[in-house]
Amino acid sequence: MSRAVWHRALLPRCWFLLLLCPWPGGSHPQCLDYKPPFQPLEPLVFCKEYSKFGCCDVEKDDQISQRYYQIMDYFDYSGYLTCGKYIHSILCQECSPYSAHLYDAEDAHTPMRELPGLCGDYCGDFWHQCRYVLSLLTESEAAIGIEDDRERFCAFLELKDPHYCYPNVLASAELNANLGTVRADPEGCLQLCLQEVANGLRNPVAMVHARDGTHRFFVAEQLGYVWAYLANGSRVDRPFLNLTRAVLTSPWAGDERGFLCMALHPRFASVRKAYVYYSVAVKKEERIRVSEFTLSASDVNMLDHSSERTLLEVVEPASNHNGGQLLFGHDGYLYIFIEQATGAGVETLP
Ligand SMILES: *[C@@H]1O[C@H](CO)[C@@H](O)[C@H](O)[C@H]1NC(C)=O
Ligand SMILES: *[C@@H]1O[C@H](CO)[C@@H](O)[C@H](O)[C@H]1NC(C)=O
């Protein structure tokens, strides 16, 4: 799809933004498999602190616990007392709701860590008490022979982000306040989920909800069609508006001319008028036209095609740099976005 079409497709663009940044700052709870954290069906036996909300089910918890006891076989009782808690905590970070952060799994361009990222102080304590445990926790070549050098040891284990390293990540009120409060709906949708509502369209450029109690919405195609989609999801066979004959465009994929937008009257439930924006040739001169149509008296899912009232025409000689957004402001004005070869302009009509 051409850049211009994305520019015009205001709604899909907003969805994309929402998808990419559901949390300010781009940080959010996420598991190593990129899925959202969850509440395990049964409480965890080993990594108990993540029983309420985290990234492990009972099976994973059991695997971690087996690994822990294999490692602990190497220790005598005093070593067990000193180092057991560190090993327990480090292994259990796989169950943290922030495990994707702790293991650097979020950025596909950097390798994932084998061990979770520790905070500097915590790493220092770990080094003092249990540095020789490292070779039991990882077989990574980067970890060989670094036990005696605190700096190299912690350079290997530290996560530089002070908010997301372990154990700080558990202490941050901001990161932990609402953990686990969002519930999936019966279809398994958490937070923002996308559902297909229309397909088979050619260059859809605008999507407008009727907001008149019918729960219909309309989708416009660059070619010059506007289609009505009813509350039950079905599309009305006959177009809401068919301006294909008047609209100036071409089959060339990069052509930015065409039907570009539709806005409904802010009180559409009572004032049955729609405003459209399209390219048109008037005596061989290329223009954009903004006009008004009234809803058909006999069919609520169609505009009266003979009711067109032209509000504005502007010469627009280029087949690219076409703007095309129409929006009603809260002030009741209709805002018309016109892109010119030299920049963009906005006109308003009361
Ligand atoms: C949707 O509603 C319309 C109008 O009520 C009806 O004609 C159509 O058959 C319905 N479609 C489906 C798939 O239920
Ligand atoms: C739209 O209008 C054109 C000509 O005005 C006509 O040929 C075409 O069949 C119409 N399309 C639909 C889907 O009604």
Side-chain angles (χ1 to χ4, degrees):
M1 192 179 270
S2 75
R3 190 186 64 89
V5 171
W6 279 123
H7 270 253
R8 275 186 230 119
L10 186 67
L11 260 173
R13 187 174 54 182
C14 298
W15 291 347
F16 269 72
L17 288 176
L18 279 169
L19 274 181
L20 291 174
C21 3
W23 255 264
S27 308
H28 53 275
Q30 195 175 31
C31 299
L32 290 181
D33 58 6
Y34 303 108
K35 290 187 182 156
F38 53 91
Q39 177 170 19
L41 290 175
E42 293 167 53
L44 306 184
V45 177
F46 185 68
C47 300
K48 289 193 181 80
E49 60 273 43
Y50 300 113
S51 274
K52 201 166 153 270
F53 191 66
C55 292
C56 290
D57 55 16
V58 173
E59 202 181 337
K60 183 81 207 168
D61 184 56
D62 186 48
Q63 287 167 11
I64 294 174
S65 135
Q66 286 179 24
R67 174 134 190 256
Y68 172 81
Y69 288 111
Q70 279 162 11
I71 293 173
M72 293 326 287
D73 275 349
Y74 291 91
F75 289 81
D76 60 14
Y77 187 64
S78 83
Y80 185 94
L81 286 184
T82 317
C83 299
K85 60 179 189 291
Y86 288 104
I87 297 172
H88 181 282
S89 297
I90 288 171
L91 294 179
C92 282
Q93 291 320 300
E94 259 188 72
C95 302
S96 163
Y98 286 102
S99 53
H101 282 279
L102 288 163
Y103 287 81
D104 266 350
E106 292 202 310
D107 184 348
H109 301 291
T110 58
M112 200 175 114
R113 309 172 71 104
E114 200 188 330
L115 294 173
L118 307 181
C119 301
D121 292 352
Y122 185 85
C123 182
D125 293 345
F126 179 43
W127 181 81
H128 270 295
Q129 313 232 16
C130 304
R131 70 194 84 150
Y132 296 108
V133 164
L134 189 62
S135 62
L136 298 174
L137 289 174
T138 174
E139 288 174 1
S140 163
E141 279 187 22
I144 296 173
I146 62 174
E147 288 97 336
D148 289 325
D149 182 336
R150 179 182 158 159
E151 245 169 65
R152 284 176 65 202
F153 183 89
C154 284
F156 177 72
L157 286 174
E158 223 181 301
L159 184 73
K160 289 293 179 199
D161 185 332
H163 302 292
Y164 281 101
C165 57
Y166 178 81
N168 289 6
V169 66
L170 299 180
S172 160
E174 193 194 336
L175 292 180
N176 292 277
N178 299 314
L179 275 189
T181 54
V182 175
R183 293 269 175 270
D185 74 8
E187 266 110 55
C189 175
L190 264 174
Q191 301 254 333
L192 180 71
C193 293
L194 296 185
Q195 187 190 347
E196 186 181 270
V197 292
N199 57 30
L201 294 155
R202 203 191 117 178
N203 286 12
V205 289
M207 183 174 173
V208 187
H209 196 274
R211 292 167 64 197
D212 64 351
T214 61
H215 302 289
R216 291 175 292 170
F217 65 87
F218 306 98
V219 176
E221 292 177 285
Q222 191 180 3
L223 237 40
Y225 286 116
V226 180
W227 301 99
Y229 290 80
L230 303 181
N232 64 10
S234 66
R235 167 167 135 172
V236 177
D237 287 341
R238 294 215 289 165
F240 184 64
L241 181 64
N242 177 357
L243 279 187
T244 51
R245 200 190 340 222
V247 162
L248 174 66
T249 188
S250 72
W252 176 49
D255 197 331
E256 296 180 12
R257 300 167 304 180
F259 189 95
L260 299 183
C261 201
M262 180 176 81
L264 301 176
H265 192 281
R267 284 177 287 115
F268 184 63
S270 51
V271 185
R272 308 299 251 172
K273 292 183 187 306
Y275 298 85
V276 301
Y277 183 132
Y278 60 98
S279 309
V280 66
V282 180
K283 299 189 200 100
K284 294 202 177 147
E285 186 174 62
E286 294 193 12
R287 300 185 183 178
I288 57 106
R289 175 184 288 164
V290 175
S291 57
E292 178 194 85
F293 283 89
T294 303
L295 201 67
S296 158
S298 58
D299 183 349
V300 290
N301 289 316
M302 192 187 281
L303 291 174
D304 176 351
H305 283 60
S306 66
S307 65
E308 181 166 19
R309 185 165 77 96
T310 299
L311 304 179
L312 179 75
E313 280 185 3
V314 179
V315 176
E316 170 62 275
S319 64
N320 61 354
H321 295 290
N322 282 244
Q325 190 69 49
L326 284 182
L327 291 169
F328 274 99
H330 292 300
D331 53 11
Y333 281 82
L334 175 63
Y335 288 80
I336 302 166
F337 294 72
I338 299 171
E339 237 176 304
Q340 295 153 343
T342 51
V346 180
E347 308 230 356
T348 58
L349 286 176

